Amino acid sequence: MIAIFKNRFFLIFSIIAGALLIIVMVTEGIGYYMLAQKRTSWMKSNSSEINPDDNSSKELEKQNENLVKKIKKLSPTGFYIIVDTAKNTLYLKKDNEIIRKAVVATGNGNVLAEPSGKKKPWIFDTPRGEFAVKYKINKPTWIKPDWAFIEEGEEIPKTLADRAEADVMGEYALGFGKGFFIHGTLYTRLLGRNATHGCVRVGDDDLLAVNKASIVGTKIFIY
Amino acid sequence: MFLILQPLSDAKAGIAERNTFLTEMLSLSEKPKQYFIFNIEENKILLMIRGIVLREWTVDHMMFTGTPLPIKSFSLESKSVQLAQLRYHIKVDDPSDNNNGSNNTNAGSTTANSADAKNAGDKKAGDNKKPAKFPLDALEIDDMPTDYQLFINGGISINVRSQPEAADAKIKNATYLLKWYLYNPIIAIKSYFNKTTYMKMDIFFKDQTEAQALFWAFTEGTECIILFPGLGDKDDFKF
């Protein structure tokens, strides 16, 4: 051991390392001491000294019970749908129970510029938040929006008939606003991937189950 | 060094804190938007909407430094990585572009590409099976960062890390330790004298996809509640 310290390199190295360690410890100590001081004063100012026998304590407990009730009232009941766009999974739930889990395809997040540059570009995300089934369609026909033609480098047709395309959305479509649908697909290999322009595409059997369980007003939560 | 170990959990807050928590929860649940709850004591992150849990993350290691903040809702101002930078821009004029939908004559809301074309007839075979990952011009969870920072209003920053690859694990860990144990105390001293709020959280996931999923779900403007240790008992924040 002494022989090691006789070596000049090891001696200098040990001194530097020791000095650094002391600097780190002192800085850390001072820093955390100051934070601890702040925390203690914060705790004192925020902690509530409530006597459990006190009336105000009982009043607060009542308030808390009411708050829990109010939150529970806001929670969905019956059938509702949850879509996880990261995992591309749809959960059909009834109260707290998962009735069906389905592999779906959701928005690809790509950007398509509007050719004139006058309008905002399209961003093909599946919207997130709370939605509800606004309408249900059997044997839906896709009315292709402008972006579908622009993306294909085609001219935008002038008549509605030229935009219509049947048999591509499966047997059912559940609209949840702003042109977004939960619908079927021909491209089953893309289920489980972010591959759509924002709609939620579901396989045939799952679509049947989701359509059967849903009514207009059924909540959809997308994250 | 011993000063770090000052107990925080001694201060049992109880009913009043539960009241504040539930009041904040109610106000967030009244909106049709999702919100997060970061429970530091229980190493849990909850994504909620209307009082129900949409997704739960169990964090492998969660810690914080700085002054704990009262129970109230904060919102995510920005992230160190912008989603816009990661998006694929469709090139319409490029005929070799798989995603421009040249095969997309009957795609519905599909982004058709060569994979679509090849597999258009697999309706029966592929139903409900998770496909093997083939290249796709899309923004997917795998494209999300595994290490990033979240900047929340009120001077809070959250550092999200995940298990680094073996090659640079040691360097990353050493840099992180230096930052946490040397740089952060210096900033703490500075904030003490400047009388500014200083709060830093560190979230560590062993599983990188968990960090990516958090990045995916936590979008700018999303509100959150942060529950610090010592605010109350575990039961105070049950609902």
Side-chain angles (χ1 to χ4, degrees), chain A residues 10-223:
Chain A
F10 279 110
L11 189 64
I12 293 167
F13 177 79
S14 307
I15 290 167
I16 292 171
L20 269 174
L21 190 68
I22 290 165
I23 291 168
V24 168
M25 284 174 72
V26 169
T27 320
E28 191 190 343
I30 296 169
Y32 281 97
Y33 173 73
M34 287 175 168
L35 283 178
Q37 290 289 311
K38 270 182 134 181
R39 274 181 215 167
T40 312
S41 62
W42 177 84
M43 283 296 179
K44 278 179 187 165
S45 62
N46 281 274
S47 65
S48 343
E49 287 171 18
I50 296 166
N51 184 346
D53 300 326
D54 199 341
N55 278 343
S56 62
S57 156
K58 283 172 188 166
E59 181 58 36
L60 270 179
E61 272 179 6
K62 255 190 187 175
Q63 272 186 31
N64 289 351
E65 280 170 23
N66 284 334
L67 283 165
V68 171
K69 278 180 194 167
K70 279 182 184 175
I71 294 169
K72 281 188 176 164
K73 265 190 183 173
L74 291 168
S75 304
T77 49
F79 285 105
Y80 60 97
I81 296 160
I82 294 178
V83 180
D84 178 347
T85 58
K87 281 188 181 168
N88 285 302
T89 305
L90 180 147
Y91 303 92
L92 176 64
K93 291 187 85 171
K94 191 181 181 192
D95 301 322
N96 275 331
E97 200 187 336
I98 296 172
I99 303 294
R100 198 172 181 106
K101 189 177 163 185
V103 179
V104 298
T106 59
N108 60 29
N110 292 343
V111 181
L112 176 67
E114 204 269 336
S116 70
K118 286 176 187 169
K119 289 179 188 170
K120 279 184 182 178
W122 287 279
I123 300 173
F124 300 125
D125 280 334
T126 299
R128 299 179 191 194
E130 182 194 48
F131 305 90
V133 174
K134 289 192 170 173
Y135 38 87
K136 293 174 71 179
I137 307 165
N138 286 354
K139 300 259 177 208
T141 295
W142 187 36
I143 306 297
K144 289 169 82 174
D146 289 355
W147 52 254
F149 297 97
I150 293 166
E151 197 180 32
E152 289 175 30
E154 290 175 7
E155 262 192 46
I156 298 165
K158 284 171 188 162
T159 63
L160 197 65
D162 291 335
R163 288 176 180 262
E165 208 162 279
D167 303 326
V168 292
M169 293 174 81
E171 289 293 305
Y172 313 99
L174 289 80
F176 56 92
K178 294 186 178 175
F180 293 104
F181 291 88
I182 294 174
H183 63 75
T185 181
L186 297 174
Y187 303 100
T188 51
R189 198 182 177 213
L190 289 174
L191 292 174
R193 302 294 300 268
N194 292 85
T196 80
H197 290 91
C199 286
V200 179
R201 289 193 287 128
V202 189
D204 285 353
D205 295 343
D206 294 319
L207 184 64
L208 182 69
V210 169
N211 184 65
K212 208 174 170 185
S214 307
I215 54 166
V216 171
T218 296
K219 293 280 180 203
I220 303 168
F221 301 103
I222 304 175
Y223 67 96

Side-chain angles (χ1 to χ4, degrees), chain B residues 39-67:
Chain B
N39 192 332
I40 301 176
E41 188 144 30
E42 293 202 20
N43 281 3
K44 289 230 185 304
I45 302 170
L46 303 177
L47 171 62
M48 300 186 69
I49 194 165
R50 299 285 192 200
I52 58 163
V53 179
L54 293 174
R55 195 193 195 286
E56 185 178 317
W57 284 261
T58 302
V59 179
D60 292 295
H61 190 54
M62 194 193 277
M63 55 184 182
F64 82 100
T65 178
T67 316

Side-chain angles (χ1 to χ4, degrees), chain B residues 167-239:
Chain B
D168 58 349
K170 281 181 182 168
I171 299 165
K172 269 194 171 179
N173 281 340
T175 316
Y176 165 73
L177 285 173
L178 271 176
K179 199 178 168 191
W180 190 263
Y181 290 108
L182 186 62
Y183 177 73
N184 284 350
I186 292 169
I187 300 297
I189 296 168
K190 202 179 153 194
S191 79
Y192 179 83
F193 287 115
N194 290 346
K195 292 182 178 169
T196 52
T197 310
Y198 171 72
M199 222 300 283
K200 244 182 182 356
M201 261 168 76
D202 186 79
I203 291 172
F204 174 75
F205 292 104
K206 277 183 187 162
D207 183 356
Q208 291 193 339
T209 51
E210 290 295 278
Q212 290 173 313
L214 182 64
F215 186 90
W216 182 280
F218 205 3
T219 53
E220 282 89 345
T222 306
E223 291 184 281
C224 64
I225 299 173
I226 303 170
L227 300 172
F228 293 93
L231 277 174
D233 285 336
K234 280 180 184 177
D235 291 342
D236 292 334
F237 306 118
K238 294 242 163 79
F239 40 86

